[in-house]
Amino acid sequence: MSPLSSVSARPKFWRDVRFLRWVFQLLVLAVVFGILYWIYGNYQTNVERSAVPTDFGFLDNPASFTIPGTDFDQSSPVSAAFVRGFQNTMLVAVVGIIFSTIVGTLVGIARLSKNFLVKTLASAYVEIIRNLPLLLLITFMNLAVVLQTFPRIENAWQPFDLFVISNRGLALPWFEGSGLILLLIFAASIVVSLVVMKIERARADRTGQKSRAGIFAILIIFGFLLVGWMLLDYSWTLPFVDGRGTTGGLRMDPSFFALIVALVLYTSSHVAEIVRGSIQAVHKGQGEAADALALSPGQKMRIIILPQAFRIAMPAIGNQYLNLTKNSSLGATISYFELTQIAQITVGNGSPAVPAFTLTLFIYLAISLVTSLIVNFFNRRLALVER
Amino acid sequence: MILWLRRNLFRSIWDSITTIVFGGIALWFIWISIEFVFITGRWEIVEVNLKLFLVGRFPEELMWLIGASMVAIAFWVAAVAGGSPLGTEPRLRLAERIVDYVRRFGLIFALAILLVVLSNSLDSLLWVGLLGIGVFAGRVVGRMRRDNKIIQKLPGIIWQPMIATPAIALVIFTLLESTLELWGGFLINFYMALISIILCFPLGLLLALGRRSSFPVIRFICTAYIELIRGAPLFVLLLLAGVALEFFIPPTISPDAVFRGITVFTLFTAAYLAEIVRGGLQGIPSGQIEAGKALGLSTVKINSLITLPQALRSVIPAQIGQFISLFKDTTLAGVALNLFDVMTVGKVITKQDDFLGQGLIYESLIFVGLLFWVVSYVMSKESQRLEKRLGVGIR
């Protein structure tokens, strides 16, 4: 018998790695639960001491504040205020994302321009905006630009008689009539134009002729809108000054305008850097191949470089979209009625702080999750399918 | 010259049109900027309130403490930067080196000169000189650490606290001598950022390692923490710390707003830092870890000697980016926690009796922006330089 066989194949349990791993994990878990329990205990005692409700019953209480320019009044429930805040946050997020993508892409391309002046201006834009605090930009837009430089409503700027710009907000020409029907027509036109684009592309691929999908799509969308306008008797309204306010057109709150401009400036400077980096990361051979095929510089950028650059840029740009959505909470500092501002006001009006802010945080978390799901979906669509 | 013009500005008709249009815009913009800065701008609001901008209502007789702390912090930073054995730079002659420094840090010098001129006092010049000496001394000490055979032998765990001690001691001493309510202005932004950066570092490392750990429970806890924090806006977290923190701690303690700010910034930045470090860890080839295992190293030793040093090195630029954004985000604390920070100063001084209703918000906010811009810009340029020297993304 060899001496080894007397040693048990299994170690004693306190020296068994598998056992020790679980002991360690359970210890960490116990510590984390301990901390959470301590916090929860503190919460319970503090709540009992000051008799603050812990449930979400406050959502049915009257909000006792008004949102100017809407039908939200003193007696509306707090829950309606949160819905309103959510809508405003989403509005800022969507508008901000659209504009910062456009501006950011243009500036990012401009930074790589062969024209010295364009390149320098684009670099200056990015380097100046990117290194300033966002809160400073928002405060500056609100206090300095809108409230101080824009004229009072009595002598508002009215360029071409189309816009009304004053420190009470901006008004643009807009369509009149039911917004829903207009939206449906617009959606239908997009669907039809997508189908037509697909057919046209297939035809171009088959015959080798030049594809005119883009022009077709634009024509179809405009045609739909025009026909819808004529048939449904749509009209558009121009804003004009009416006493202390404006009538007609689409009115924008001054705080909304300041917030959107600051967010778009800030986010687009980040997007521009990402776009520039991604364009530079596209393999050099791709551009050379486009040159060899005698594509024009515009075609080269549009057909060859940008699609590949966006594939690289997508995750980083998605992160910027998330940041923009979260940064819209800074609208609260200039009294724009978005989610955070609503939470702050309702807490100030006597709603319990912990449930109100928990609700707010969860709404932001949900928005973040949905946004990142959408970005991931596009990311997967764009991703290179490797063979 | 003409060739350059033709090649860079007037390549084609379209190019020429673009040049003329953008040139017009640029000239107009430059003109209004110059007009505003030198002619129409009324900078006396900044001149009168310079002290409020920089240190808030900090007592005059304790100002030397702030100056001394700044010198010690400058020494520390210079010692860390000078001692980093990263990359190799070609030896430059003195003249070239001066040109290099002016290009890299000229903006900081210019800002310092501007502040001295605005302050109208010789004391400030003295302090700027002392700061310069602090930086120089730090650099010499850092170089010794890199080149001297004996000092090289000191383990980092002894060396790092040694060079940090004067700064930390002076900051704590300042804190003991004054009360936190007196702190304000740019000082509070700077200190909050600095302290949060130091504190979030260990937490971020632990979270990054935890998220990649082979223990499922720990992985879950770390992932949940990181994702929850990253899904929440910083501003709401700060508001929560201001309004709702009372509910979660025993009623006997009520931390000061500055502490609340630092806590939130630390917890928040740690989550982002963890993701950055995780990115660095993922970039390390598994052969490195396997080699460590083959040498019989424990997990702790593999992490601390092999993976972490490489991972941290490769993500230094991303870390600096995160710290710059933390520095800029300290302005949020002013609004959310009612601190007297530099943004708040910039807003309230336009309501002083001497300046009320004169529309001087442009001057005051532009000055605040200048302070943040110079620091962030120089830091981001340095991080780009470091990125090039480290060769990140080239390998």
Side-chain angles (χ1 to χ4, degrees):
Chain A
M1 246 169 95
S2 71
L4 267 176
S5 63
S6 67
V7 181
S8 153
R10 287 182 67 103
K12 296 282 193 305
F13 73 88
W14 61 86
R15 304 195 59 161
D16 189 337
V17 172
R18 280 164 300 183
F19 174 75
L20 286 176
R21 282 169 66 100
W22 281 105
V23 169
F24 176 65
Q25 292 188 71
L26 286 177
L27 269 177
V28 172
L29 202 63
V31 170
V32 170
F33 266 110
I35 294 172
L36 288 180
Y37 184 74
W38 181 73
I39 291 174
Y40 182 72
N42 283 332
Y43 181 54
Q44 287 300 332
T45 43
N46 284 324
V47 161
E48 262 168 44
R49 205 168 42 90
S50 49
V52 178
T54 54
D55 58 355
F56 288 91
F58 71 93
L59 286 175
D60 299 327
N61 298 346
S64 49
F65 66 94
T66 57
I67 301 178
T70 64
D71 54 357
F72 185 88
D73 60 12
Q74 307 267 343
S75 58
S76 310
V78 173
S79 56
F82 271 96
V83 171
R84 192 65 77 158
F86 173 72
Q87 286 167 349
N88 283 339
T89 295
M90 288 313 287
L91 183 69
V92 171
V94 171
V95 176
I97 282 173
I98 292 171
F99 279 102
S100 44
T101 311
I102 297 170
V103 178
T105 311
L106 291 180
V107 175
I109 296 171
R111 277 200 84 171
L112 295 169
S113 162
K114 288 203 181 89
N115 187 316
F116 174 75
L117 196 67
V118 173
K119 192 167 65 183
T120 315
L121 282 180
S123 307
Y125 173 86
V126 170
E127 293 296 352
I128 290 174
I129 306 280
R130 215 163 56 111
N131 289 311
L132 288 172
L134 175 61
L135 184 65
L136 184 97
L137 287 175
I138 292 176
T139 316
F140 187 81
M141 281 309 298
N142 186 48
L143 289 182
V145 176
V146 172
L147 293 183
Q148 185 171 310
T149 309
F150 283 10
R152 298 160 68 85
I153 187 86
E154 291 87 32
N155 31 10
W157 296 333
Q158 292 171 312
F160 313 113
D161 279 339
L162 287 176
F163 308 94
V164 176
I165 301 173
S166 73
N167 60 10
R168 295 188 158 231
L170 268 77
L172 326 168
W174 200 243
F175 303 100
E176 200 176 42
S178 163
L180 189 68
I181 296 179
L182 194 72
L183 212 66
L184 282 177
I185 292 176
F186 189 62
S189 71
I190 286 181
V191 170
V192 172
S193 67
L194 281 179
V195 173
V196 171
M197 269 169 87
K198 192 142 196 172
I199 296 171
E200 168 67 17
R201 285 236 176 84
R203 191 193 63 82
D205 279 354
R206 205 173 53 241
T207 57
Q209 280 168 336
K210 221 171 155 185
S211 160
R212 290 189 209 84
I215 303 168
F216 275 23
I218 292 168
L219 282 180
I220 286 169
I221 291 175
F222 271 101
F224 258 72
L225 289 181
L226 205 69
V227 170
W229 191 347
M230 283 183 202
L231 289 183
L232 293 166
D233 196 22
Y234 269 98
S235 62
W236 57 332
T237 65
L238 294 177
F240 55 89
V241 180
D242 177 22
R244 310 281 303 143
T246 58
T247 317
L250 181 74
R251 215 185 75 82
M252 270 196 269
D253 283 333
S255 54
F256 176 80
F257 174 74
L259 181 63
I260 277 289
V261 172
L263 279 175
V264 167
L265 282 176
Y266 188 77
T267 313
S268 67
S269 71
H270 285 83
V271 171
E273 272 303 87
I274 296 167
V275 168
R276 181 182 70 119
S278 312
I279 290 177
Q280 282 174 332
V282 171
H283 200 277
K284 231 171 103 188
Q286 299 284 336
E288 286 163 1
D291 287 338
L293 290 172
L295 297 182
S296 73
Q299 281 177 321
K300 175 170 133 188
M301 193 45 106
R302 206 159 36 85
I303 309 175
I304 309 290
I305 308 281
L306 272 189
Q308 301 187 59
F310 268 111
R311 180 183 298 147
I312 303 171
M314 202 58 195
I317 289 184
N319 247 337
Q320 290 303 322
Y321 291 167
L322 287 177
N323 282 345
L324 187 145
T325 313
K326 285 182 279 175
N327 285 337
S328 72
S329 61
L330 289 181
T333 62
I334 57 169
S335 307
Y336 175 65
F337 283 91
E338 47 73 68
L339 204 50
T340 312
Q341 170 78 354
I342 297 285
Q344 245 182 317
I345 296 179
T346 51
V347 170
N349 281 357
S351 296
V354 176
F357 274 113
T358 313
L359 181 67
T360 313
L361 276 181
F362 270 100
I363 296 175
Y364 276 114
L365 205 60
I367 297 175
S368 290
L369 278 178
V370 171
T371 314
S372 62
L373 278 183
I374 295 173
V375 169
N376 280 344
F377 171 74
F378 277 110
N379 208 2
R380 224 169 308 136
R381 288 273 319 260
L382 281 175
L384 201 62
V385 183
E386 298 210 15
R387 275 170 281 260
Chain B
M1 177 66 190
I2 288 180
L3 196 71
W4 184 90
L5 278 179
R6 285 207 51 176
R7 193 168 294 157
N8 289 294
L9 294 174
F10 302 102
R11 291 166 83 88
S12 65
I13 297 172
W14 278 113
D15 215 29
S16 310
I17 294 172
T18 335
T19 302
I20 290 163
V21 170
F22 279 98
I25 295 172
L27 282 180
W28 176 76
F29 198 76
I30 291 171
W31 168 243
I32 34 174
S33 310
I34 290 177
E35 192 188 18
F36 179 70
V37 171
F38 292 106
I39 301 168
T40 56
R42 296 180 47 200
W43 299 100
E44 63 265 26
I45 188 172
V46 175
E47 217 174 321
V48 171
N49 292 300
L50 189 68
K51 183 171 168 262
L52 273 186
F53 270 119
L54 294 182
V55 293
R57 287 178 292 249
F58 203 78
E60 194 74 49
E61 64 274 13
L62 290 176
M63 285 291 278
W64 65 274
L65 267 174
I66 292 180
S69 316
M70 289 299 149
V71 173
I73 290 170
F75 169 82
W76 179 21
V77 173
V80 172
S84 63
L86 300 167
T88 47
E89 54 192 73
R91 279 228 159 267
L92 297 174
R93 266 177 311 180
L94 189 64
E96 289 172 331
R97 211 189 261 186
I98 289 171
V99 171
D100 183 49
Y101 280 136
V102 169
R103 223 185 41 231
R104 280 162 60 195
F105 303 110
L107 274 168
I108 296 265
F109 293 140
L111 182 67
I113 292 169
L114 178 70
L115 292 180
V116 168
V117 169
L118 282 174
S119 74
N120 274 329
S121 79
L122 276 176
D123 280 8
S124 57
L125 195 64
L126 177 76
W127 282 114
V128 169
L130 283 177
L131 266 179
I133 294 173
V135 171
F136 184 73
R139 195 177 161 78
V140 169
V141 170
R143 280 288 184 260
M144 266 159 59
R145 161 79 168 161
R146 197 182 67 176
D147 301 331
N148 188 311
K149 286 267 153 42
I150 303 163
I151 301 179
Q152 255 176 5
K153 292 247 162 55
L154 276 175
I157 204 148
I158 297 173
W159 174 255
Q160 298 298 344
M162 254 171 68
I163 53 176
T165 308
I168 293 172
L170 271 168
V171 170
I172 292 175
F173 187 63
T174 319
L175 197 63
L176 295 177
E177 285 291 297
S178 62
T179 53
L180 265 179
E181 283 94 68
L182 293 172
W183 289 32
F186 200 52
L187 178 79
I188 215 169
N189 296 82
F190 180 74
Y191 273 3
M192 273 201 296
L194 188 74
I195 297 172
S196 310
I197 287 171
I198 297 167
L199 292 181
C200 79
F201 211 82
L203 187 58
L205 287 191
L206 284 181
L207 282 169
L209 290 174
R211 196 170 177 174
R212 282 172 56 86
S213 147
S214 59
F215 301 121
V217 175
I218 289 171
R219 204 164 53 223
F220 174 78
I221 293 171
C222 291
T223 311
Y225 175 84
I226 292 171
E227 293 305 330
L228 279 178
I229 293 280
R230 275 166 31 106
L234 177 60
F235 188 60
V236 179
L237 292 178
L238 283 167
L239 284 177
L240 202 65
V243 187
L245 190 70
E246 262 77 20
F247 288 103
F248 297 115
I249 51 175
T252 43
I253 39 176
S254 172
D256 190 273
V258 179
F259 280 129
R260 293 174 194 225
I262 289 173
T263 313
V264 173
F265 287 130
T266 305
L267 296 178
F268 183 81
T269 309
Y272 283 81
L273 187 70
E275 283 300 274
I276 292 172
V277 174
R278 186 169 75 106
L281 286 171
Q282 272 172 352
I284 293 188
S286 54
Q288 298 278 332
I289 300 165
E290 285 156 12
K293 279 184 185 153
L295 288 173
L297 298 180
S298 66
T299 317
V300 175
K301 276 198 166 161
I302 291 177
N303 276 327
S304 63
L305 295 177
I306 298 177
T307 50
L308 269 183
Q310 298 184 60
L312 287 180
R313 214 186 83 143
S314 69
V315 294
I316 285 176
Q319 288 173 36
I320 296 180
Q322 189 60 46
F323 294 152
I324 292 175
S325 93
L326 166 65
F327 174 58
K328 294 190 295 176
D329 281 342
T330 53
T331 49
L332 303 193
V335 186
L337 300 168
N338 292 321
L339 287 173
F340 197 57
D341 82 319
V342 67
M343 271 287 295
T344 318
V345 172
K347 279 192 284 185
V348 298
I349 58 166
T350 58
K351 301 198 176 77
Q352 285 171 334
D353 289 346
D354 293 349
F355 303 111
L356 185 68
Q358 300 179 16
L360 296 180
I361 190 82
Y362 273 99
E363 283 83 350
S364 102
L365 284 186
I366 285 175
F367 180 72
V368 176
L370 184 75
L371 292 177
F372 278 101
W373 187 80
V374 168
V375 178
S376 307
Y377 181 77
V378 171
M379 261 162 77
S380 74
K381 280 286 163 224
E382 277 299 287
S383 109
Q384 281 170 17
R385 183 170 159 275
L386 210 57
E387 197 170 345
K388 231 173 262 166
R389 255 173 72 185
L390 290 171
V392 181
I394 294 172
R395 270 169 304 185

